[in-house]
Amino acid sequence: MSFDLSSIGRFTRNAMRVACFGTLFLFSMIIVPPHSLAHEGHDHGEKKPESTVAVGGPRFAVESSLFQLVGQANGKKLTLYLDRFDNNSPIEGALIDITAGVDNQIAEEVSPGTYALSADWVAKSGTHDLIVSITANDDADLILAQLVVPETEVIANDHALAWWKIYLPAATHAYISPVLTPIGAFLSKVHNSYLFIGVFSAGLVLGLLLRNKAFPVLSAIIALCLVSLSTPVTAHEGHDHGDEKTPLVQTGNQPQRLADGSVFLPKPTQRLLNIRSEVVKFSDTPKTQRLLGKTISDPAFRSVVQAVRDGRIGFPPSGLPTIGEIVNSGDRVATLTPVLTLEAQAGMAEQLGALTQELAITQQRLARLQAASEVQVAGQSGIGLSAVSRGSIEELEVQLNALTSRRDALKAISFGPLDLEASRSGTIANVNVTAGQVVAAGDTVMEIVDPKRVWVEAIAYPGQWTDFTSNARALLPKNDIVPITYITRSLSLTAQAETLYFRLQKEEIVPLGTPVTVILEGEKKERSLLIPRNAVVRGASGLLVVWVQEAPETFRPQIIDAEPVDGTLMKIKAGLTEDDRFVAEGASFLNQVR
């Protein structure tokens, strides 16, 4: 029997080609999942909403007139957070009895205000209607709650819908999947461009080995088909999915700002930030009037040190006086060396020259008279007499002393330093000069005050101020309230306003010039809503905002119009109503949630 070697070679090459094409086809089946094209008018109908279970797990939040209760399920464990309705504070030592169907169980307190229980029904999917009985001290209530546990869905991956799982019998999956599934999973992660290059290169190499020019071309065609089939398919015109609902996403345990501007803040985070709430109530408050003012020194305890003439400032050997230094009356606080103009210096030099000349002439005359007084002349009685009388000598001596005093005084006034002294005891409030500075006559060198003697100067326009002097207070920038006493008012208008003067009732050190708000209270009462000042924050728009608690874990920003009553309270003009629950502590933390 003879064999044709050329026929055997052709058969072998054809078999290898078929095997190579089969391998490429197998790769295409692994990578490309089956596609279905929708025709015109294709309608999926009403699609069921998809539920995404958050990391925090299923939860419920209910409240009554006494309590707030939040439950969070995690597997078989149910964690409960119990707070008071009116102030959001955790409740310790409470008895929580939960009934779910036929199962009844009492929760155990694991931390202050936090309770937990473990039951099989917590992990079961479905809707669980709960009856919660709460007893805390003298308060007791019965609350109905509903815990919804979604079903766990297994989502198939891309290579789980491979062709062998669709077209081959299920009995063969156990043998084929261990081999083809890893290959399909690996190739599904490869980019289309890399896939094209790999398939084309494999076809080129195989074509060269098998000496067939058509094989690389067919490999390129297969690679292009693989790339085109693996691209997403978009629906054509008329394709309708019906009424599809947006997936519901639960928030879990992460604080976040919701789309409507409200904030979801889980109970564990509220405990960390110490969030506390209060209920708005009406109260009767005196009618008030507000005036703008500032602090000034008491005129009776204020003095200034001024330059008495033009000169250069100097300081005593003790050094430059500093602000806040205590001085006594008569203390030398500075020196003033007079400074003269050229004309004044010329006139002063001329006066000094004339005085010096006259002084020299007088001294010479006095010397001659004193010398002549020693000569004795015999008189009629035979007694020796002086040629010059004693009165003439004394007259010249007096004249000489006067000229000397005038010269010394002129020199001292013109060129000698002058002492500047404190006119009263107190504390140096301002120092307006430095060493060597030239000042003019009347310039204020420094100001001395008593820091504990402070007045308040307020401005009132005609028709604004009334006789609300029974109870007056000053609101300082740090929200400190200081009682003040009305003293007097100006008799004339300054810039179309009159000035009111008040005195601080207590001796307190308040910086002079501090802006204050004078609050004058009348005898009439008015009903108003008062809230703590710390509950009011600035929103993103710059307006005043109060956070209102709408649910145990939901807070809504409410824009308000308010004015301060004192350092701790604000009066609400608009934005809140009675019985609204607002955040009294921790509002600034809520304002930072994004």
Side-chain angles (χ1 to χ4, degrees):
M1 184 177 181
S2 61
F3 295 94
D4 188 356
L5 296 179
S6 60
S7 299
I8 295 175
R10 286 194 301 272
F11 176 78
T12 303
R13 286 194 297 271
N14 291 333
M16 294 180 65
R17 292 169 186 170
V18 172
C20 291
F21 277 112
T23 302
L24 294 178
F25 179 75
L26 179 62
F27 285 167
S28 66
M29 291 297 101
I30 294 174
I31 299 171
V32 182
H35 292 75
S36 59
L37 300 178
H39 54 79
E40 295 181 359
H42 182 69
D43 187 6
H44 286 281
E46 183 177 357
K47 187 176 180 180
K48 295 182 179 180
E50 300 176 1
S51 60
T52 303
V53 180
V55 178
R59 65 194 310 120
F60 66 86
V62 292
E63 59 186 15
S64 66
S65 59
L66 297 176
F67 306 111
Q68 300 179 34
L69 182 64
V70 174
Q72 179 181 349
N74 186 8
K76 295 183 179 181
K77 182 179 179 181
L78 179 63
T79 304
L80 303 172
Y81 302 94
L82 182 63
D83 297 329
R84 293 202 173 275
F85 175 82
D86 53 354
N87 57 17
N88 201 49
S89 61
I91 300 177
E92 303 180 17
L95 178 63
I96 302 179
D97 189 349
I98 296 182
T99 302
V102 296
D103 192 355
N104 180 267
Q105 195 169 354
I106 297 177
E108 180 182 357
E109 187 173 9
V110 295
S111 63
T114 304
Y115 304 81
L117 60 85
S118 180
D120 295 336
W121 59 267
V122 179
K124 293 181 180 179
S125 59
T127 301
H128 304 282
D129 295 326
L130 308 179
I131 302 176
V132 184
S133 175
I134 303 175
T135 303
N137 297 328
D138 297 334
D139 298 328
D141 204 346
L142 193 66
I143 302 177
L144 301 180
Q146 192 176 72
L147 178 64
V148 179
V149 180
E151 296 182 359
T152 304
E153 297 181 0
V154 179
I155 302 176
N157 50 29
D158 293 337
H159 57 273
L161 299 178
W163 63 273
W164 66 83
K165 292 189 177 182
I166 299 176
Y167 301 108
L168 296 182
T172 61
H173 293 177
Y175 304 99
I176 300 177
S177 294
V179 179
L180 298 184
T181 299
I183 299 176
F186 171 75
L187 294 179
S188 62
K189 300 178 181 179
V190 180
H191 195 269
N192 290 340
S193 58
Y194 299 149
L195 179 63
F196 174 82
I197 295 173
V199 174
F200 180 76
S201 301
L204 181 62
V205 172
L206 293 175
L208 293 176
L209 294 176
L210 300 177
R211 300 295 192 271
N212 193 326
K213 298 180 180 180
F215 198 91
V217 178
L218 294 177
S219 300
I221 295 174
I222 293 176
L224 290 175
C225 293
L226 292 177
V227 174
S228 62
L229 288 176
S230 60
T231 55
V233 179
T234 57
H236 51 77
E237 296 180 358
H239 185 68
D240 185 13
H241 285 278
D243 187 12
E244 296 186 0
K245 297 184 179 180
T246 306
L248 302 177
V249 181
Q250 297 180 4
T251 52
N253 277 332
Q254 297 298 326
Q256 67 175 2
R257 183 71 65 98
L258 303 181
D260 60 351
S262 59
V263 169
F264 173 81
L265 195 67
K267 280 297 179 181
T269 307
Q270 295 183 33
R271 304 284 177 84
L272 292 176
L273 300 180
N274 195 29
I275 303 297
R276 296 292 181 266
S277 61
E278 292 183 9
V279 179
V280 181
K281 295 295 183 182
F282 276 105
S283 59
D284 294 332
T285 58
K287 189 176 181 180
T288 60
Q289 179 69 46
R290 310 173 67 84
L291 304 176
L292 297 179
K294 65 177 181 179
T295 57
I296 61 174
S297 61
D298 190 338
F301 295 88
R302 177 178 178 270
S303 64
V304 294
V305 178
Q306 292 183 325
V308 296
R309 60 175 301 173
D310 299 345
R312 181 178 289 105
I313 292 295
F315 293 100
S318 59
L320 172 68
T322 58
I323 296 177
E325 181 178 346
I326 299 176
V327 295
N328 297 319
S329 178
D331 289 350
R332 185 176 63 170
V333 294
T335 60
L336 179 67
T337 302
V339 176
L340 302 177
T341 62
L342 295 178
E343 294 80 2
Q345 290 180 5
M348 196 65 65
E350 183 180 356
Q351 293 182 18
L352 285 175
L355 285 174
T356 303
Q357 182 180 2
E358 187 176 356
L359 184 62
I361 294 173
T362 303
Q363 289 176 347
Q364 291 177 0
R365 290 178 60 190
L366 180 61
R368 288 195 298 267
L369 290 178
Q370 289 177 348
S373 64
E374 296 178 355
V375 178
Q376 299 291 327
V377 179
Q380 296 178 357
S381 60
I383 301 175
L385 299 175
S386 174
V388 179
S389 64
R390 184 61 185 171
S392 299
I393 295 176
E394 291 178 353
E395 182 180 355
L396 287 178
E397 288 178 349
V398 172
Q399 185 177 359
L400 181 62
N401 292 333
L403 291 174
T404 303
S405 299
R406 287 177 58 189
R407 184 192 63 179
D408 294 341
L410 185 61
K411 287 183 178 181
I413 293 175
S414 303
F415 307 104
L418 304 176
D419 292 337
L420 301 180
E421 300 177 351
S423 59
R424 67 173 303 113
S425 301
T427 303
I428 297 178
N430 292 312
V431 177
N432 302 323
V433 295
T434 58
Q437 181 177 345
V438 177
V439 296
D443 288 349
T444 300
V445 176
M446 61 185 63
E447 183 180 0
I448 301 174
V449 299
D450 187 347
K452 295 183 179 180
R453 306 280 185 168
V454 180
W455 281 19
V456 174
E457 181 184 67
I459 298 175
Y461 292 94
Q464 180 183 9
W465 182 76
T466 55
D467 192 13
F468 289 166
T469 58
S470 58
N471 188 7
R473 295 167 295 171
L475 178 61
L476 301 180
K478 293 184 179 180
N479 298 329
D480 296 331
I481 294 294
V482 180
I484 56 179
T485 302
Y486 172 75
I487 300 175
T488 184
R489 58 191 294 186
S490 62
L491 300 179
S492 60
L493 299 181
T494 302
Q496 303 300 321
E498 59 181 345
T499 306
L500 308 179
Y501 295 96
F502 302 84
R503 179 188 292 113
L504 269 64
Q505 295 181 4
K506 297 181 180 179
E507 293 185 356
E508 297 186 17
I509 299 178
V510 180
L512 301 180
T514 301
V516 299
T517 301
V518 177
I519 303 175
L520 304 177
E521 290 187 359
E523 297 180 356
K524 295 182 179 180
K525 301 287 185 178
E526 61 180 358
R527 291 181 58 81
S528 57
L529 297 175
L530 300 180
I531 65 174
R533 193 182 186 95
N534 294 333
V536 181
V537 294
R538 291 283 180 181
S541 60
L543 301 177
L544 297 180
V545 170
V546 169
W547 287 92
V548 178
Q549 187 175 15
E550 292 187 331
E553 296 180 313
T554 305
F555 300 86
R556 171 179 55 86
Q558 177 63 46
I559 299 176
I560 62 169
D561 182 13
E563 64 178 13
V565 175
D566 51 30
T568 58
L569 296 177
M570 297 278 289
K571 181 171 67 175
I572 303 299
K573 294 182 178 180
L576 288 181
T577 59
E578 192 174 14
D579 296 332
D580 282 344
R581 281 185 302 166
F582 66 94
V583 177
E585 298 180 17
S588 58
F589 297 112
L590 281 171
N591 211 37
Q592 298 175 11
V593 177
R594 296 292 181 265

